[in-house]
Amino acid sequence: MKYIVGVDIGTTSTKSIAFDLKGNVITKKNIEYPILNPEPSWSEQEPDEMLSAVVESIKHVVAENDARGNKLIGVSFSSAMHSVIAVDEKGKTLTNCIIWADTRSKEYAEKIKSSELGHEIYMKTGTPIHPMSPLCKLCWMKDNAKDIFEKAYKFISIKEYIFYKFFNEYVVDYSIASATGLFDIYELGWNKKALDLAGISEDKLSRPVSTTEVIKGMRSEYADYMGIDVNTPFILGASDGCLANLGANAIKPGDAAVTIGTSGAIRIISDKPKNDEAERIFSYILTENHYVLGGPVNNGGIIFRWFRDNFSPLEIETAEKIGIDPYELLTTQASKVEPGANGLIFLPYLLGERAPHWDANSKGVFFGVNITHKREHFLRAVLEGVIYGVYDVGRALEETTGSIDTIYATGGFVRSQLWVQMMADVFNKKVVIAESYESSCLGAAVLAMKALGEIEAVEQVEKLVPISKIFMPNRENHERYMKNFEIYRRLYSKLKDEFVNIEMLQK
Ligand code: ADP
């Protein structure tokens, strides 16, 4: 049997999954690595540790498939966005891998964002001006790590580092490039104004190529170690966010993919890039004909976890005793409260927020507390607030790109019927749960199938992702939620300045 390995170089681990050509998982291997925080605002990872996780996980799935007599036809990659590594002329790292969560360039991002040039660069590159963006990271490095900045031969992402090790060549796929803040998504080339602002010339960056680009001729020491032929096709692939849409089958006009795991995101696919004058959403490349537009939220499932860990000791104890998940007990409690939590509204911005406000100072708020509210109202308001946060971005997306009909949901929140139904009701749209939980790896494998001529169009992913459940919206609940949501929306703009004041108090 033929198989493809989809490799997802993520933030907590690298996952390699072997898929057959019908999209079934044959075997998988996950290898974790830590996030390093040498300073409070810094988030880094060790490039060689990530390289080793990639190599070892591929080696593992290849060995298992060899034992079954299966034939490897390609390896394709998903990777987290926004990483930066400075390397010297010999390819030796001068920095760790500075990841998306790093906020050291916050002041640079604020300054660029408030300038006209910043707006112009966003409109060309599709990447929101934010400390996550390599553009802002390079601006920081230029002033604060001068030696490294001047010595650097290239500035690359983790995927480019791995491809360089394997093939001795610096290449970057359009998808990863489109999340750097340096790449013109209309022209498919590096953007001169962004490069000037970052203080670099084009030769400091890799050669941009299509996400279905195939590379062969691997250095034999790596091929031998992984037990594969040096001419095995390696497909560049795309970013994890873009591939999550593809792997969840949210690829047709009107489809949206919503993920609520620790953080969250809502994304749609468009055949053209479209940028938002108000700078609320991103526009990244999946292929030359598929642009992924959307917004990430910091405050996803982690907020439910916060409520569980800080306000639910009894539930945790009881759940342990009866052998169920505490989240299940908590969602049952929340289901006893009517939609709208009797007028209690929660702003979930405990971790500041990216889309739609891109405001690191924003905070959480319970609003409208009255004497009838009990603990479970607070619990329900928390679950509703997380959904309002994603819905707010969904509305911005619809304003920019046209209406959404169906939501394909993924991430830990799909384990709760109550929470998914809440999403269907708040959005007033059908929500589909796909069976695949490994959407980024599957998305990478689908790009490989296209690149290798096994399928004609990536839209054929539809046949590879079975649907496990559909939730239909309830109109009456939608109307109730909308009354709260209108207040929710106004609260942020009314409280914006106070968030800054409280932030100052904490300094
Ligand atoms: P990650 O983004 O780290 O991969 P997951 O996708 O596993 O995380 O999502 C974890 C989140 O999913 C938790 O923080 C929690 O909010 C939510 N979650 C997990 N299990 C349940 C459940 N049974 N009911 C409701 N929510 C759940």
Side-chain angles (χ1 to χ4, degrees):
M1 185 170 57
K2 291 191 206 170
Y3 74 100
I4 290 171
V5 179
V7 184
D8 179 24
I9 312 164
T11 308
T12 46
S13 66
T14 283
K15 220 176 268 166
S16 286
I17 303 187
F19 293 96
D20 68 17
L21 299 188
K22 294 203 173 85
N24 299 309
V25 173
I26 311 173
T27 57
K28 53 178 153 181
K29 178 71 181 170
N30 193 31
I31 298 179
E32 295 194 358
Y33 30 74
I35 298 178
L36 313 170
N37 302 107
E39 303 276 341
S41 65
W42 295 23
S43 291
E44 302 185 341
Q45 293 184 302
E46 235 298 325
D48 286 322
E49 217 172 325
M50 299 169 94
L51 170 67
S52 155
V54 169
V55 169
E56 295 296 335
S57 60
I58 297 176
K59 178 182 163 76
H60 186 96
V61 295
V62 166
E64 285 190 347
N65 279 279
D66 275 353
R68 297 176 195 200
N70 294 339
K71 181 173 169 12
L72 177 66
I73 62 164
V75 182
S76 177
F77 289 80
S78 158
S79 121
M81 292 180 274
H82 313 305
S83 64
V84 176
I85 308 168
V87 292
D88 70 12
E89 225 156 314
K90 295 200 169 97
K92 211 169 125 305
T93 56
L94 300 172
T95 61
N96 266 336
C97 176
I98 306 171
I99 66 167
W100 61 271
D102 191 290
T103 58
R104 76 184 74 175
S105 68
K106 188 173 160 194
E107 276 143 32
Y108 288 81
E110 279 166 10
K111 212 165 131 206
I112 302 168
K113 193 170 162 63
S114 61
S115 70
E116 238 170 72
L117 178 62
H119 182 67
E120 207 181 312
I121 290 176
Y122 161 78
M123 292 302 282
K124 290 280 184 210
T125 63
T127 307
I129 309 288
H130 183 271
M132 69 183 183
S133 154
L135 164 69
C136 300
K137 288 170 175 156
L138 291 178
C139 289
W140 178 92
M141 218 186 264
K142 183 172 53 166
D143 291 344
N144 298 280
K146 271 199 187 116
D147 288 358
I148 292 175
F149 188 80
E150 275 159 23
K151 208 168 150 201
Y153 173 67
K154 296 266 181 202
F155 297 100
I156 57 175
S157 75
I158 186 62
K159 199 199 280 187
E160 291 154 75
Y161 182 66
I162 284 158
F163 268 77
Y164 174 75
K165 289 283 177 184
F166 287 172
F167 298 101
N168 205 19
E169 195 186 342
Y170 287 110
V171 279
V172 60
D173 58 80
Y174 290 156
S175 184
I176 289 292
S178 70
T180 58
L182 301 163
F183 191 74
D184 189 317
I185 56 175
Y186 296 86
E187 305 288 333
L188 300 181
W190 297 114
N191 179 271
K192 175 89 172 59
K193 284 192 177 167
L195 266 54
D196 285 349
L197 182 63
I200 58 168
S201 51
E202 206 171 308
D203 60 2
K204 297 276 172 196
L205 300 169
S206 302
R207 179 171 63 90
V209 296
S210 175
T211 54
T212 48
E213 177 92 358
V214 179
I215 301 197
K216 293 183 190 173
M218 173 175 266
R219 283 179 174 162
S220 58
E221 64 265 36
Y222 283 104
D224 292 348
Y225 185 76
M226 289 189 278
I228 63 178
D229 191 281
V230 290
N231 283 320
T232 306
F234 270 58
I235 293 89
L236 258 287
S239 71
D240 54 0
C242 292
L243 289 170
N245 264 62
L246 178 58
N249 182 31
I251 178 126
K252 296 180 296 303
D255 289 348
V258 172
T259 307
I260 301 184
T262 301
S263 59
I266 174 164
R267 309 178 210 89
I268 60 126
I269 291 191
S270 156
D271 58 356
K272 285 186 226 56
K274 276 187 198 144
N275 288 325
D276 172 26
E277 275 294 336
E279 298 189 27
R280 292 166 299 182
I281 62 169
F282 56 66
S283 192
Y284 299 142
I285 302 175
L286 172 62
T287 76
E288 287 86 329
N289 310 315
H290 299 87
Y291 286 78
V292 176
L293 320 180
V297 299
N298 294 342
N299 302 285
I302 193 165
I303 305 304
F304 191 17
R305 192 167 84 197
W306 165 78
F307 193 91
R308 180 197 68 184
D309 294 346
N310 293 286
F311 305 104
S312 315
L314 272 180
E315 285 73 13
I316 294 176
E317 207 185 302
T318 314
E320 250 166 41
K321 263 191 214 141
I322 53 178
I324 62 164
D325 186 337
Y327 285 129
E328 260 179 59
L329 208 59
L330 288 168
T331 41
T332 309
Q333 288 180 345
S335 70
K336 308 249 157 68
V337 176
E338 292 284 307
N342 195 18
L344 182 60
I345 296 170
F346 175 64
L347 263 58
Y349 310 132
L350 271 61
L351 293 167
E353 194 48 289
R354 286 186 282 168
H357 308 302
W358 300 93
D359 177 1
N361 296 319
S362 55
K363 300 273 178 286
V365 175
F366 281 104
F367 178 77
V369 189
N370 69 44
I371 200 80
T372 69
H373 290 141
K374 299 198 170 73
R375 183 181 159 284
E376 49 269 31
H377 291 87
F378 284 80
L379 168 56
R380 175 134 196 152
V382 162
L383 297 177
E384 292 179 356
V386 171
I387 302 290
Y388 292 152
V390 178
Y391 180 60
D392 209 1
V393 188
R395 294 250 290 226
L397 256 184
E398 286 193 307
E399 282 167 28
T400 319
T401 64
S403 74
I404 296 169
D405 311 317
T406 306
I407 293 171
Y408 290 82
T410 56
F413 96 113
V414 305
R415 286 184 215 128
S416 159
Q417 291 225 13
L418 174 83
W419 219 1
V420 179
Q421 185 62 50
M422 205 180 268
M423 172 165 286
D425 294 348
V426 169
F427 277 79
N428 200 24
K429 301 197 193 296
K430 180 166 95 175
V431 177
V432 174
I433 312 284
E435 221 158 69
S436 162
Y437 288 101
E438 315 288 2
S439 41
S440 296
C441 283
L442 176 60
V446 172
L447 278 187
M449 288 177 201
K450 168 80 173 65
L452 299 171
E454 294 288 340
I455 55 175
E456 261 165 42
V458 293
E459 280 73 10
Q460 279 171 262
V461 66
E462 193 174 5
K463 296 196 194 111
L464 309 177
V465 184
I467 289 171
S468 65
K469 210 158 190 184
I470 295 180
F471 293 75
M472 298 306 289
N474 173 314
R475 193 156 233 320
E476 205 182 305
N477 290 347
H478 174 68
E479 278 159 17
R480 275 203 207 184
Y481 285 130
M482 285 311 95
K483 287 188 185 138
N484 282 15
F485 179 73
E486 289 313 319
I487 300 171
Y488 170 99
R489 251 199 158 174
R490 286 194 297 271
L491 279 176
Y492 171 76
S493 41
K494 290 191 170 159
L495 293 173
K496 196 171 180 289
D497 296 339
E498 299 306 333
F499 291 144
V500 178
N501 291 337
I502 207 157
E503 177 82 11
M504 305 292 265
L505 279 184
Q506 285 163 352
K507 271 193 178 150

